[in-house]
Amino acid sequence: MKLIGKGKSKDIYRADNGDIVFEFTDRVTAFDGVKKAEYAHKGEVCCELATYWFKILEKESIHTHFKKKISTNRIRVANLNILPVEVIWRNYVAGSLWRRFERGEIKLPEGTDAREGAPIPNGMLEFTTKFETVDRPVNTEEIINSKWMTEDELINIGEMTRKINDIMFKRLLRKDIILADFKVEFGKTPKGKILLADEVGTPDGCRFWDKQAYVRGEFLSLDKDVFRKNKGDLSAAYLEIFDRITKD
Ligand code: UDP
Protein backbone atom coordinates (compact mmCIF):
# COMPACT_ATOMS: atom_id res chain seq x y z
CA MET A 1 0.00 0.00 0.00
CA LYS A 2 1.23 3.45 -0.91
CA LEU A 3 0.29 6.63 0.95
CA ILE A 4 -1.19 8.98 -1.67
CA GLY A 5 -2.70 11.74 0.42
CA LYS A 6 -3.57 13.10 3.82
CA GLY A 7 -7.03 14.60 4.32
CA LYS A 8 -8.25 16.56 7.32
CA SER A 9 -9.04 13.40 9.24
CA LYS A 10 -8.16 10.49 6.95
CA ASP A 11 -4.94 9.16 5.44
CA ILE A 12 -5.44 7.81 1.93
CA TYR A 13 -3.56 4.85 0.43
CA ARG A 14 -3.62 3.08 -2.92
CA ALA A 15 -3.76 -0.72 -2.61
CA ASP A 16 -1.82 -2.99 -4.99
CA ASN A 17 -5.02 -3.85 -6.92
CA GLY A 18 -5.84 -0.15 -7.52
CA ASP A 19 -8.47 0.18 -4.76
CA ILE A 20 -8.25 3.03 -2.29
CA VAL A 21 -7.82 2.50 1.45
CA PHE A 22 -9.04 5.12 3.92
CA GLU A 23 -7.39 5.16 7.32
CA PHE A 24 -9.56 7.08 9.78
CA THR A 25 -7.16 8.83 12.16
CA ASP A 26 -7.89 10.52 15.49
CA ARG A 27 -7.23 13.93 13.91
CA VAL A 28 -9.94 16.59 14.00
CA THR A 29 -9.90 19.97 12.30
CA ALA A 30 -12.40 22.80 12.05
CA PHE A 31 -12.72 26.22 10.42
CA ASP A 32 -10.97 25.12 7.22
CA GLY A 33 -8.10 23.53 9.10
CA VAL A 34 -7.35 26.45 11.44
CA LYS A 35 -8.32 24.60 14.65
CA LYS A 36 -6.67 21.19 15.08
CA ALA A 37 -6.49 18.44 17.71
CA GLU A 38 -6.49 14.66 18.24
CA TYR A 39 -9.04 12.67 20.20
CA ALA A 40 -8.75 9.02 21.20
CA HIS A 41 -11.24 6.60 19.58
CA LYS A 42 -12.32 9.15 16.97
CA GLY A 43 -10.85 7.20 14.04
CA GLU A 44 -12.40 3.89 15.08
CA VAL A 45 -15.81 5.44 15.75
CA CYS A 46 -15.93 7.15 12.34
CA CYS A 47 -14.66 4.03 10.55
CA GLU A 48 -17.29 1.81 12.19
CA LEU A 49 -20.12 4.31 11.65
CA ALA A 50 -19.23 4.89 7.98
CA THR A 51 -19.20 1.10 7.49
CA TYR A 52 -22.53 0.79 9.32
CA TRP A 53 -24.23 3.37 7.05
CA PHE A 54 -22.59 2.24 3.79
CA LYS A 55 -24.01 -1.26 4.39
CA ILE A 56 -27.50 0.04 5.19
CA LEU A 57 -27.51 2.39 2.19
CA GLU A 58 -26.34 -0.37 -0.18
CA LYS A 59 -29.24 -2.57 1.03
CA GLU A 60 -31.58 0.34 0.26
CA SER A 61 -30.20 0.53 -3.32
CA ILE A 62 -27.88 3.51 -2.90
CA HIS A 63 -24.74 2.52 -4.78
CA THR A 64 -21.55 3.43 -2.95
CA HIS A 65 -17.79 3.03 -3.35
CA PHE A 66 -17.55 0.97 -0.13
CA LYS A 67 -16.01 -2.48 -0.45
CA LYS A 68 -14.86 -3.76 2.95
CA LYS A 69 -13.83 -2.80 6.46
CA ILE A 70 -10.30 -4.20 6.74
CA SER A 71 -9.28 -3.20 10.27
CA THR A 72 -10.62 -1.18 13.20
CA ASN A 73 -9.86 2.09 11.42
CA ARG A 74 -9.49 1.22 7.74
CA ILE A 75 -11.90 0.61 4.87
CA ARG A 76 -11.25 -0.39 1.27
CA VAL A 77 -13.21 1.51 -1.38
CA ALA A 78 -13.31 1.67 -5.18
CA ASN A 79 -11.10 4.27 -6.83
CA LEU A 80 -13.39 6.90 -8.40
CA ASN A 81 -13.12 10.23 -10.11
CA ILE A 82 -14.33 12.42 -7.25
CA LEU A 83 -16.76 15.14 -8.37
CA PRO A 84 -15.50 18.60 -7.33
CA VAL A 85 -18.51 19.60 -5.22
CA GLU A 86 -19.59 18.75 -1.69
CA VAL A 87 -23.30 18.15 -1.28
CA ILE A 88 -25.09 19.34 1.84
CA TRP A 89 -28.56 18.33 2.92
CA ARG A 90 -30.26 20.34 5.67
CA ASN A 91 -33.31 19.40 7.75
CA TYR A 92 -32.81 22.16 10.35
CA VAL A 93 -31.28 25.64 10.33
CA ALA A 94 -27.72 25.37 11.68
CA GLY A 95 -24.07 26.13 11.06
CA SER A 96 -23.13 28.12 7.99
CA LEU A 97 -26.77 28.45 6.86
CA TRP A 98 -27.64 30.31 10.06
CA ARG A 99 -24.46 32.43 9.82
CA ARG A 100 -25.20 33.40 6.20
CA PHE A 101 -28.81 34.21 7.11
CA GLU A 102 -27.70 36.43 10.03
CA ARG A 103 -25.33 38.29 7.70
CA GLY A 104 -28.25 38.87 5.31
CA GLU A 105 -26.64 36.81 2.53
CA ILE A 106 -29.37 34.24 2.06
CA LYS A 107 -33.13 33.72 2.44
CA LEU A 108 -34.37 30.69 4.33
CA PRO A 109 -36.58 28.26 2.39
CA GLU A 110 -40.29 29.01 2.45
CA GLY A 111 -42.06 28.04 5.66
CA THR A 112 -38.87 28.09 7.73
CA ASP A 113 -38.81 30.17 10.93
CA ALA A 114 -35.96 32.67 11.19
CA ARG A 115 -34.25 31.08 14.19
CA GLU A 116 -31.30 28.76 14.71
CA GLY A 117 -32.60 25.21 15.05
CA ALA A 118 -35.84 25.77 13.13
CA PRO A 119 -37.00 22.83 10.99
CA ILE A 120 -36.87 23.27 7.20
CA PRO A 121 -40.21 21.77 6.07
CA ASN A 122 -39.06 20.08 2.84
CA GLY A 123 -35.34 20.03 3.52
CA MET A 124 -32.74 21.93 1.56
CA LEU A 125 -29.99 20.90 -0.85
CA GLU A 126 -26.81 22.96 -1.17
CA PHE A 127 -23.49 22.60 -2.93
CA THR A 128 -20.03 23.86 -2.02
CA THR A 129 -16.70 23.68 -3.82
CA LYS A 130 -14.42 20.83 -2.79
CA PHE A 131 -11.03 21.62 -4.28
CA GLU A 132 -10.69 25.30 -3.34
CA THR A 133 -8.76 26.34 -0.19
CA VAL A 134 -11.93 27.53 1.50
CA ASP A 135 -15.26 25.80 0.80
CA ARG A 136 -17.59 28.22 -0.98
CA PRO A 137 -21.31 27.80 -1.71
CA VAL A 138 -22.00 27.33 -5.41
CA ASN A 139 -25.28 27.27 -7.33
CA THR A 140 -26.34 24.77 -9.96
CA GLU A 141 -25.67 27.26 -12.76
CA GLU A 142 -21.99 27.62 -11.80
CA ILE A 143 -21.65 23.83 -11.45
CA ILE A 144 -23.01 23.25 -14.97
CA ASN A 145 -21.19 26.21 -16.58
CA SER A 146 -17.89 25.09 -15.00
CA LYS A 147 -18.53 21.59 -16.43
CA TRP A 148 -18.12 20.07 -12.96
CA MET A 149 -21.27 18.03 -13.61
CA THR A 150 -23.98 17.77 -16.25
CA GLU A 151 -27.56 18.72 -15.49
CA ASP A 152 -28.57 15.03 -15.44
CA GLU A 153 -25.77 14.21 -13.02
CA LEU A 154 -26.87 17.07 -10.76
CA ILE A 155 -30.45 15.79 -10.74
CA ASN A 156 -29.23 12.27 -10.03
CA ILE A 157 -27.04 13.43 -7.14
CA GLY A 158 -29.87 15.52 -5.67
CA GLU A 159 -32.20 12.52 -5.75
CA MET A 160 -29.59 10.23 -4.21
CA THR A 161 -28.91 12.76 -1.44
CA ARG A 162 -32.62 13.14 -0.66
CA LYS A 163 -32.93 9.36 -0.44
CA ILE A 164 -29.85 9.07 1.79
CA ASN A 165 -31.45 11.66 4.06
CA ASP A 166 -34.77 9.79 4.19
CA ILE A 167 -33.02 6.56 5.16
CA MET A 168 -30.73 8.04 7.82
CA PHE A 169 -33.27 10.53 9.24
CA LYS A 170 -35.91 7.85 9.95
CA ARG A 171 -33.48 5.41 11.52
CA LEU A 172 -31.89 8.08 13.72
CA LEU A 173 -35.22 9.42 14.94
CA ARG A 174 -36.05 5.95 16.28
CA LYS A 175 -32.95 6.39 18.45
CA ASP A 176 -34.03 9.85 19.58
CA ILE A 177 -31.43 11.55 17.41
CA ILE A 178 -32.25 14.45 15.09
CA LEU A 179 -30.20 14.56 11.88
CA ALA A 180 -29.97 18.35 11.49
CA ASP A 181 -27.77 18.30 8.37
CA PHE A 182 -24.99 16.37 6.67
CA LYS A 183 -22.41 16.47 3.89
CA VAL A 184 -21.80 13.84 1.23
CA GLU A 185 -19.54 13.48 -1.78
CA PHE A 186 -19.91 11.54 -5.01
CA GLY A 187 -17.58 10.05 -7.56
CA LYS A 188 -17.76 8.49 -11.02
CA THR A 189 -16.60 5.06 -12.14
CA PRO A 190 -14.66 4.80 -15.43
CA LYS A 191 -18.01 3.86 -17.06
CA GLY A 192 -19.62 7.07 -15.76
CA LYS A 193 -21.77 5.57 -12.99
CA ILE A 194 -22.19 7.87 -10.00
CA LEU A 195 -21.51 6.36 -6.59
CA LEU A 196 -21.69 7.75 -3.06
CA ALA A 197 -18.05 8.34 -2.06
CA ASP A 198 -15.91 9.50 0.89
CA GLU A 199 -17.66 8.76 4.22
CA VAL A 200 -21.27 8.99 5.31
CA GLY A 201 -23.17 9.18 8.57
CA THR A 202 -20.21 10.00 10.81
CA PRO A 203 -20.21 12.75 13.45
CA ASP A 204 -17.50 14.48 11.38
CA GLY A 205 -19.90 15.06 8.50
CA CYS A 206 -23.33 15.20 10.15
CA ARG A 207 -25.00 17.29 12.82
CA PHE A 208 -26.65 14.98 15.34
CA TRP A 209 -28.85 16.54 18.05
CA ASP A 210 -30.32 14.70 21.02
CA LYS A 211 -34.08 14.84 20.47
CA GLN A 212 -35.13 15.04 24.12
CA ALA A 213 -32.86 18.04 24.70
CA TYR A 214 -34.19 19.68 21.50
CA VAL A 215 -37.77 19.30 22.77
CA ARG A 216 -36.67 21.06 25.99
CA GLY A 217 -35.29 23.89 23.85
CA GLU A 218 -31.60 22.92 24.18
CA PHE A 219 -29.02 21.82 21.62
CA LEU A 220 -27.10 18.76 22.77
CA SER A 221 -24.63 18.09 19.97
CA LEU A 222 -23.21 14.61 19.45
CA ASP A 223 -20.92 15.57 16.57
CA LYS A 224 -18.01 17.80 15.56
CA ASP A 225 -19.79 20.90 16.91
CA VAL A 226 -18.55 19.72 20.33
CA PHE A 227 -15.07 20.56 19.03
CA ARG A 228 -16.01 23.59 16.92
CA LYS A 229 -17.85 25.22 19.82
CA ASN A 230 -15.76 23.89 22.77
CA LYS A 231 -18.78 22.04 24.15
CA GLY A 232 -16.88 19.31 26.05
CA ASP A 233 -14.93 16.14 25.35
CA LEU A 234 -15.12 15.05 21.72
CA SER A 235 -14.14 11.42 22.50
CA ALA A 236 -17.07 11.10 24.93
CA ALA A 237 -19.55 12.62 22.44
CA TYR A 238 -18.32 10.36 19.61
CA LEU A 239 -18.47 7.22 21.78
CA GLU A 240 -22.00 8.14 22.87
CA ILE A 241 -23.32 8.70 19.33
CA PHE A 242 -21.61 5.46 18.28
CA ASP A 243 -23.39 3.49 21.02
CA ARG A 244 -26.73 5.09 20.33
CA ILE A 245 -26.61 4.48 16.59
CA THR A 246 -25.21 0.95 16.58
CA LYS A 247 -26.89 -0.62 19.64
CA ASP A 248 -30.54 -1.70 19.28
N1 UDP B 1 -19.51 19.61 6.58
C1 UDP B 1 -18.47 18.72 6.37
N2 UDP B 1 -17.34 19.15 5.76
C2 UDP B 1 -17.18 20.41 5.34
C3 UDP B 1 -18.23 21.34 5.56
C4 UDP B 1 -19.38 20.90 6.19
O1 UDP B 1 -18.58 17.54 6.70
O2 UDP B 1 -16.11 20.74 4.79
C5 UDP B 1 -20.76 19.15 7.24
C6 UDP B 1 -20.93 19.73 8.64
O3 UDP B 1 -20.38 18.87 9.60
C7 UDP B 1 -22.43 19.83 8.76
C8 UDP B 1 -22.91 20.06 7.33
O4 UDP B 1 -21.86 19.62 6.49
O5 UDP B 1 -22.98 18.62 9.24
C9 UDP B 1 -23.26 21.50 7.04
O6 UDP B 1 -22.15 22.31 7.38
P1 UDP B 1 -22.25 23.89 7.32
O7 UDP B 1 -22.39 24.33 5.90
O8 UDP B 1 -23.35 24.32 8.24
O9 UDP B 1 -20.86 24.45 7.77
P2 UDP B 1 -20.12 24.48 9.19
O10 UDP B 1 -21.08 24.89 10.24
O11 UDP B 1 -19.62 23.09 9.35
O12 UDP B 1 -19.05 25.50 8.96
Side-chain angles (χ1 to χ4, degrees), residues 8 86 88 90 94-96 99 135 181-183 204-207 228:
K8 290 180 200 158
E86 301 194 344
I88 291 171
R90 301 181 185 276
S96 75
R99 293 195 299 274
D135 297 346
D181 59 32
F182 65 90
K183 186 265 302 178
D204 271 7
C206 302
R207 281 198 167 87
R228 292 188 189 97

